[in-house]
Amino acid sequence: MIKTNIKLELNYSYDSVKDAICAALPIKREEIIDCHLVKRTLNLNDKGGIHYDATVAISLSPEREYGLLKMRKRVSEYPSYELNIPQSKLNTRPIVVGFGPAGLFAALILAECGAAPIVFERGLPVDERDERVKLFSTLGILDTECNVQFGEGGAGTYSDGKLKVGAMDKYKMKVLKTLVECGAPEDVLFSSTAHVGTDRLSGIVKKIRERIIYLGGEIHFSSRLTDISVKDGAVCGITVKNKENEEKYDTDALVLATGHSARDMFILLSEKGVALEARGFGIGVRLEHPREYINELVYGKGYPDLLESASYHLVTHLKGGRSVYSFCMCPGGTVVPAASCHGGIVTNGMSEFARDGENSNAAFLVSVTPSDFSSDSPLAGIELQKKIEEKAYSLTDSYKAPCQRLGDFLNDTLTGTLPTKPTYPIGTEIHRTENYLPEFITDSLRKSINDFDDWMRGFYYPDAVMTGPETRTTSPVRVLRGESLDSLNIKGLYPAGEGAGYAGGIISSARDGVIIAERILMKNRC
Ligand SMILES: Cc1cc2nc3c(=O)[nH]c(=O)nc-3n(C[C@H](O)[C@H](O)[C@H](O)COP(=O)(O)OP(=O)(O)OC[C@H]3O[C@@H](n4cnc5c(N)ncnc54)[C@H](O)[C@@H]3O)c2cc1C
């Protein structure tokens, strides 16, 4: 196949894609055997009006493809992204701990290649998990084993499901194709703004689970890893606590995909002497503007109806080296309570597929590095997160979140009214943001607003509302991996996904799961 770049109207069809190809290349319609989009980006800055810039893969006869490639007429080869992993038989069944994107995809690949993985997940299957999540978001009753962070599908299940893909490779293609086969909209394969929506994610996760079981995998919920057995510097088994008792399982290939919020896991790894290091992450608040206001800022007044709710992504680098950035934008979404420990407040964001809620929110974060932590311990970042989360809780003495009008934050006042209604469902109380965030963070947030307003005129909207804290932006710890991708000092222990510190977001965590599974299988080739 070959590929070329084309422009498309917002309301393009399969036919108009073919027309655009024929306008871009010296070929006739009837020569096109097949074509499909591989990339689509909204272009807001072209004088000709809002349209899509797209890359399209085209199948022609081999002679025509060869001829066009030779002439270099605005075409290049479209590579194959097939993932080919041979069937393998391992000495022991591989174990996957954690059933978020990394664990799901590691288990799927292992199952597809005949390795019959056993999965342990501390939380519940997604339907029962839904009830626990609702109990927390309506009544503030938190289940520390099953919540927005823990349970089937991992942290990604209650999210906007925006899929940040970046440069395509065979691992990401495997993830995206699987998502589409299991119910994600087809445009996740090519759209730069693709999202699945929290309302569709649970169905997709269930279908992947069914595939793993059909292919010989086993999945145990309410089953928490409590210990790892090591012999001669290599993993030989694990202990798992389920509802009734503790059980031991033997294995020499353990995929540890427990995410960034499993603090007990980081403590266990530290006690076991596993090589760890502290790493930087982001801390700040969720910032909500009215959705329509953001749409008009991004698209202009009277924008075409065909456009979906608008997103933004802003970054500034302050003097002194600190960065402030927006993150995980949820257009038309809500701010969600994302705590997993008693006595601490954590916020995050999610949207349904329609992205049609009143407000649009994004995290508004300041970069923190190990030099901001109070000790040299690899776990010191967790201490900073905990301190902030607990301070916020102590302000409201409940899981109601502290919030403040953006204009008040900038002027260091409290007016007591909130024209933009916060969407955090448990409830909010007005408090000064510095009452729970360290001064270096609030100072940096204040300093960034002018820059953000320069980038996106109108970003500074005094009636926008800040709800916080947002502390679980990525892993504060890295579990060091060697060349063979297992732990630097414990063979057969494969840290995977966001908690390992090598990924961030649904796609890169899932991709990491695929890579780890491939590595385990290749090591044990039949
Ligand atoms: C509210 C919210 C919205 C988000 N929105 C987006 C988005 O729109 N797009 C995006 O790309 N990313 C988003 N993210 C981030 C994304 O969810 C994560 O990057 C991703 O889920 C990380 O995948 P993972 O598999 O590495 O870990 P996780 O998804 O965290 O999964 C880890 C799993 O391990 C389990 N576990 C932990 N400890 C144990 C144990 N001891 N024993 C057994 N099981 C254990 C947990 O219960 C959990 O299910 C969002 C996150 C949140 C919380």
Side-chain angles (χ1 to χ4, degrees), residues 462-474:
D463 283 338
V465 62
M466 301 162 64
T467 307
E470 177 135 348
T471 44
R472 312 276 186 94
T473 50
T474 190

PDB file of all heavy atoms in Angstrom, residues 462-474:
ATOM      1  N   PRO A 462     -12.624  34.826  34.604  1.00  0.00           N
ATOM      2  CA  PRO A 462     -12.640  34.913  36.058  1.00  0.00           C
ATOM      3  C   PRO A 462     -13.655  33.978  36.718  1.00  0.00           C
ATOM      4  O   PRO A 462     -13.448  33.509  37.830  1.00  0.00           O
ATOM      5  CB  PRO A 462     -12.994  36.382  36.321  1.00  0.00           C
ATOM      6  CG  PRO A 462     -12.670  37.102  35.058  1.00  0.00           C
ATOM      7  CD  PRO A 462     -12.800  36.125  33.943  1.00  0.00           C
ATOM      8  N   ASP A 463     -14.758  33.682  36.004  1.00  0.00           N
ATOM      9  CA  ASP A 463     -15.783  32.820  36.602  1.00  0.00           C
ATOM     10  C   ASP A 463     -15.512  31.324  36.428  1.00  0.00           C
ATOM     11  O   ASP A 463     -16.326  30.494  36.839  1.00  0.00           O
ATOM     12  CB  ASP A 463     -17.163  33.147  36.007  1.00  0.00           C
ATOM     13  CG  ASP A 463     -17.726  34.427  36.612  1.00  0.00           C
ATOM     14  OD1 ASP A 463     -17.273  34.786  37.720  1.00  0.00           O
ATOM     15  OD2 ASP A 463     -18.598  35.051  35.986  1.00  0.00           O
ATOM     16  N   ALA A 464     -14.392  30.961  35.797  1.00  0.00           N
ATOM     17  CA  ALA A 464     -14.037  29.532  35.746  1.00  0.00           C
ATOM     18  C   ALA A 464     -13.818  29.049  37.181  1.00  0.00           C
ATOM     19  O   ALA A 464     -13.526  29.848  38.077  1.00  0.00           O
ATOM     20  CB  ALA A 464     -12.759  29.347  34.925  1.00  0.00           C
ATOM     21  N   VAL A 465     -13.987  27.739  37.407  1.00  0.00           N
ATOM     22  CA  VAL A 465     -13.873  27.240  38.782  1.00  0.00           C
ATOM     23  C   VAL A 465     -12.781  26.172  38.886  1.00  0.00           C
ATOM     24  O   VAL A 465     -12.633  25.325  38.009  1.00  0.00           O
ATOM     25  CB  VAL A 465     -15.248  26.734  39.308  1.00  0.00           C
ATOM     26  CG1 VAL A 465     -15.790  25.567  38.492  1.00  0.00           C
ATOM     27  CG2 VAL A 465     -15.172  26.338  40.776  1.00  0.00           C
ATOM     28  N   MET A 466     -11.990  26.290  39.965  1.00  0.00           N
ATOM     29  CA  MET A 466     -10.900  25.338  40.220  1.00  0.00           C
ATOM     30  C   MET A 466     -11.327  24.392  41.339  1.00  0.00           C
ATOM     31  O   MET A 466     -11.721  24.850  42.410  1.00  0.00           O
ATOM     32  CB  MET A 466      -9.653  26.092  40.700  1.00  0.00           C
ATOM     33  CG  MET A 466      -9.143  27.118  39.717  1.00  0.00           C
ATOM     34  SD  MET A 466      -8.043  28.330  40.509  1.00  0.00           S
ATOM     35  CE  MET A 466      -6.678  27.324  41.020  1.00  0.00           C
ATOM     36  N   THR A 467     -11.240  23.091  41.087  1.00  0.00           N
ATOM     37  CA  THR A 467     -11.582  22.103  42.122  1.00  0.00           C
ATOM     38  C   THR A 467     -10.373  21.196  42.277  1.00  0.00           C
ATOM     39  O   THR A 467      -9.778  20.781  41.278  1.00  0.00           O
ATOM     40  CB  THR A 467     -12.808  21.257  41.680  1.00  0.00           C
ATOM     41  OG1 THR A 467     -13.859  22.143  41.317  1.00  0.00           O
ATOM     42  CG2 THR A 467     -13.294  20.339  42.786  1.00  0.00           C
ATOM     43  N   GLY A 468     -10.007  20.879  43.495  1.00  0.00           N
ATOM     44  CA  GLY A 468      -8.790  20.089  43.635  1.00  0.00           C
ATOM     45  C   GLY A 468      -8.800  19.232  44.877  1.00  0.00           C
ATOM     46  O   GLY A 468      -9.807  19.151  45.574  1.00  0.00           O
ATOM     47  N   PRO A 469      -7.671  18.615  45.142  1.00  0.00           N
ATOM     48  CA  PRO A 469      -6.440  18.634  44.352  1.00  0.00           C
ATOM     49  C   PRO A 469      -6.409  17.521  43.309  1.00  0.00           C
ATOM     50  O   PRO A 469      -7.083  16.511  43.448  1.00  0.00           O
ATOM     51  CB  PRO A 469      -5.369  18.361  45.409  1.00  0.00           C
ATOM     52  CG  PRO A 469      -6.042  17.475  46.404  1.00  0.00           C
ATOM     53  CD  PRO A 469      -7.495  17.865  46.413  1.00  0.00           C
ATOM     54  N   GLU A 470      -5.585  17.729  42.271  1.00  0.00           N
ATOM     55  CA  GLU A 470      -5.295  16.656  41.313  1.00  0.00           C
ATOM     56  C   GLU A 470      -3.838  16.256  41.545  1.00  0.00           C
ATOM     57  O   GLU A 470      -2.910  17.036  41.306  1.00  0.00           O
ATOM     58  CB  GLU A 470      -5.522  17.124  39.872  1.00  0.00           C
ATOM     59  CG  GLU A 470      -5.148  16.031  38.881  1.00  0.00           C
ATOM     60  CD  GLU A 470      -6.142  15.809  37.754  1.00  0.00           C
ATOM     61  OE1 GLU A 470      -7.267  16.344  37.828  1.00  0.00           O
ATOM     62  OE2 GLU A 470      -5.792  15.104  36.801  1.00  0.00           O
ATOM     63  N   THR A 471      -3.650  15.049  42.045  1.00  0.00           N
ATOM     64  CA  THR A 471      -2.308  14.595  42.457  1.00  0.00           C
ATOM     65  C   THR A 471      -1.889  13.310  41.756  1.00  0.00           C
ATOM     66  O   THR A 471      -0.711  12.995  41.687  1.00  0.00           O
ATOM     67  CB  THR A 471      -2.308  14.286  43.973  1.00  0.00           C
ATOM     68  OG1 THR A 471      -3.496  13.545  44.254  1.00  0.00           O
ATOM     69  CG2 THR A 471      -2.281  15.542  44.808  1.00  0.00           C
ATOM     70  N   ARG A 472      -2.880  12.534  41.261  1.00  0.00           N
ATOM     71  CA  ARG A 472      -2.539  11.212  40.689  1.00  0.00           C
ATOM     72  C   ARG A 472      -2.450  11.336  39.169  1.00  0.00           C
ATOM     73  O   ARG A 472      -3.240  10.752  38.426  1.00  0.00           O
ATOM     74  CB  ARG A 472      -3.613  10.185  41.056  1.00  0.00           C
ATOM     75  CG  ARG A 472      -4.022  10.152  42.501  1.00  0.00           C
ATOM     76  CD  ARG A 472      -3.107   9.309  43.366  1.00  0.00           C
ATOM     77  NE  ARG A 472      -3.668   9.221  44.710  1.00  0.00           N
ATOM     78  CZ  ARG A 472      -4.443   8.244  45.127  1.00  0.00           C
ATOM     79  NH1 ARG A 472      -4.754   7.253  44.318  1.00  0.00           N
ATOM     80  NH2 ARG A 472      -4.906   8.241  46.361  1.00  0.00           N
ATOM     81  N   THR A 473      -1.490  12.117  38.714  1.00  0.00           N
ATOM     82  CA  THR A 473      -1.413  12.392  37.279  1.00  0.00           C
ATOM     83  C   THR A 473      -0.604  11.339  36.544  1.00  0.00           C
ATOM     84  O   THR A 473      -0.876  11.045  35.396  1.00  0.00           O
ATOM     85  CB  THR A 473      -0.799  13.780  37.060  1.00  0.00           C
ATOM     86  OG1 THR A 473       0.395  13.854  37.842  1.00  0.00           O
ATOM     87  CG2 THR A 473      -1.752  14.872  37.489  1.00  0.00           C
ATOM     88  N   THR A 474       0.388  10.799  37.216  1.00  0.00           N
ATOM     89  CA  THR A 474       1.129   9.640  36.701  1.00  0.00           C
ATOM     90  C   THR A 474       1.916   9.054  37.856  1.00  0.00           C
ATOM     91  O   THR A 474       1.767   9.501  38.995  1.00  0.00           O
ATOM     92  CB  THR A 474       2.019  10.005  35.486  1.00  0.00           C
ATOM     93  OG1 THR A 474       2.509   8.795  34.914  1.00  0.00           O
ATOM     94  CG2 THR A 474       3.202  10.887  35.861  1.00  0.00           C
TER      95      THR A 474
END
